[in-house]
Amino acid sequence: QIATALKALGVQVGELALEAHQPHGATLLTAPPADPGQGALRIKVLGRDQAEAQLFSKLWRSLLYKESGRTLHLTRLQEVEHEAYTRLVARTAGVRTPAVVAAGMADARVAILAVREPPGGRLSEAEASLVSDDLLAEIWRQAATLHAARLIHGRLSAHAVILAEGGPVITDFDIARTTPVGASVTGDIAELLASLATVVGPERALASALAGPEGDCVAKALPLLQPAALTHQTRSALGSRKAGANVLDHLRELGAEG
C-alpha cells in the first residue's frame, strides 16, 4: 500500500522495510537506492491516528515544558508540508540536509514525506576516536547556519547527524520550526552539547561548543542541561539517571569554569 501511495506521488520504490526504531506518532520506512551512491530513501508515514498522537504529544510537551514556540499542526498534510518546508529552508541556507523527494497526501487517509539520506552512519553510533576536532567544529558550524536561517531544530542531537562523505548532514526535522529574529537557540545548543558529551566526553564537547560560532550562547544554555529539557534519545544515551546527572553536572561545572 505504501509503495502504491508513493507511486501516486511520483516516487518509484522497490522493497520497503520498517526501521528498527519507530518514533511516537509516525511510521518510518526505508527503501534501498537503485544507485548505492545515492543513499536510502527514508519515508515517514502519517495516518489519522498517528497525526492525532503527534498533535496531543506536542500539546502535552508545550504545557509541561512551556514550549510555547513549538508548532502544532491540525492535519497530516500540514505536518509533512511544514517538515518539508523547514528542510528546504535549511538546505537553501547552506545546511547539509537530505533532499526532499516527495511530500503530500497519498490518499484521503495517509500523508507521506520522503527524503533521500546520504550513505553514512549516525554520529551517535561513532567511536570517539573517529570523531575529530575538525568534525566537531563543522557540526557546530552547521548548527549555526541552521540558526542563522531562523530555524530551531528541536532535536539537535548526535542521532540527528549523519556522517556522510562530504561532511556532517543534519536530519530528523520532524519538530523543527521557524522563529523570529533574535529567538533563543539555547535549547538546540544544550541538546547538542549534552549529546556530544555522550560521544566524545564532556571536555571535548564543551571545548568544541565554546570554540564554535555560537560559543557566546553556551553560557545561557548551561541551565538547560537538565534531563527534563533534553530529548528521550539524549537521556537514553546519557545512561542511568545517576550517570546522566553526573555528566550534566560535570558539563555545567566545566562551563562555569570556562
Side-chain angles (χ1 to χ4, degrees), residues 64-225:
L64 185 61
Y65 299 129
K66 298 181 175 60
E67 295 176 332
S68 58
R70 186 180 292 269
T71 305
L72 300 178
H73 305 290
L74 299 179
T75 70
R76 289 152 281 174
L77 182 58
Q78 287 176 344
E79 184 81 30
V80 297
E81 284 183 339
H82 181 78
E83 182 174 344
Y85 172 73
T86 56
R87 286 176 176 271
L88 290 170
V89 170
R91 194 175 176 88
T92 301
V95 180
R96 294 190 200 92
T97 188
V100 174
V101 177
M105 296 295 294
D107 57 33
R109 298 168 298 172
V110 176
I112 290 178
L113 174 67
V115 300
R116 180 76 66 186
E117 292 195 340
R122 298 287 177 130
L123 175 61
S124 56
E125 301 167 354
E127 295 290 336
S129 60
L130 301 179
V131 180
S132 68
D133 290 343
D134 287 343
L135 174 58
L136 292 173
E138 182 57 25
I139 291 168
W140 286 109
R141 280 194 291 269
Q142 288 290 299
T145 303
L146 181 79
H147 296 149
R150 298 195 302 181
L151 291 172
I152 299 294
H153 187 278
R155 288 179 179 159
L156 191 55
S157 69
H159 184 75
V161 178
I162 301 171
L163 299 180
E165 184 177 350
V169 173
I170 297 178
T171 190
D172 297 346
F173 278 70
D174 49 308
I175 63 169
R177 64 184 189 271
T178 55
T179 64
V181 175
S184 174
V185 299
T186 53
D188 272 1
I189 291 174
E191 183 77 31
L192 185 55
L193 177 57
S195 185
L196 287 178
T198 69
V199 179
V200 300
E203 289 80 5
R204 288 186 65 198
L206 182 64
S208 67
L210 290 171
E214 294 181 313
D216 291 344
C217 300
V218 172
K220 294 180 181 178
L222 294 178
L224 296 179
L225 293 173

